[in-house]
Amino acid sequence: MNKKGLSSIVTTVLLILLAVASIAIVWQFVRISLNKSGERINTAISFDCENLNLEILDAKYDDTLIPPQLTTIIKRNAGGGEIVKIKFIVNNGVSDTELPTQVVSDLYEFNTKTFNFIEGQDFNTNEISKGHALKIAPLIKTQSGNEVQCEVKDERVITPWYYQKVLVAYRTLKCAVCLD
């Protein structure tokens, strides 16, 4: 009865170890492929966000209107990415206040769009004032259809409604003096 060979228990243990090792090797290849796919998606989103070029042309607070309102003009310059929304953020030097996110379906390259925010409807009294900073952060649509927020693209100081009129009057007077 001196049998030379492997017992059935040892054979079973060896088969289980072989199966676990095979699964571990296959998982390494699958994991590497998944990581590379994720990196490509993040790179594409990052590329779209970096190339997106928005500019705040004007941001005026008019407290002579009833109710007061903030009017801003946004220009989209050259750059890729499909903008679906724009997030408007007002910073008073201490904290940020988010205005309602605006759906944007018609802001194409080299076009401008005006947005109005009404006090009491879109923001509370004292949340916005002259001298505060207005920031914009676009939300883009990914290839999978998800929305991703990009970093802040531009920032501008909110000016009073009469600022432009005073500036034009000043330049007119200055030029009238220059001509004499």
Side-chain angles (χ1 to χ4, degrees), residues 6-16:
L6 298 174
S7 71
S8 61
I9 295 173
V10 173
T11 304
T12 304
V13 169
L14 287 175
L15 285 174
I16 290 172

Side-chain angles (χ1 to χ4, degrees), residues 110-136:
F110 307 110
N111 286 341
T112 61
K113 185 168 175 105
T114 301
F115 297 91
N116 293 307
F117 299 96
I118 299 169
E119 185 175 299
Q121 179 180 335
D122 299 319
F123 61 93
N124 296 324
T125 307
N126 300 325
E127 285 183 336
I128 295 179
S129 181
K130 304 167 280 255
H132 290 173
L134 177 68
K135 303 178 202 178
I136 53 173

Side-chain angles (χ1 to χ4, degrees), residues 48 81-84 139-148:
D48 283 348
E82 182 183 348
I83 303 174
V84 290
L139 283 82
I140 61 169
K141 185 182 280 188
T142 63
Q143 290 178 345
S144 62
N146 296 328
E147 292 178 5
V148 175

Side-chain angles (χ1 to χ4, degrees), residues 83-86 88 100-106 113 115 147:
I83 303 174
V84 290
K85 295 178 184 172
I86 297 178
F88 292 85
T101 300
Q102 300 294 309
V103 175
V104 181
S105 58
D106 56 351
K113 185 168 175 105
F115 297 91
E147 292 178 5

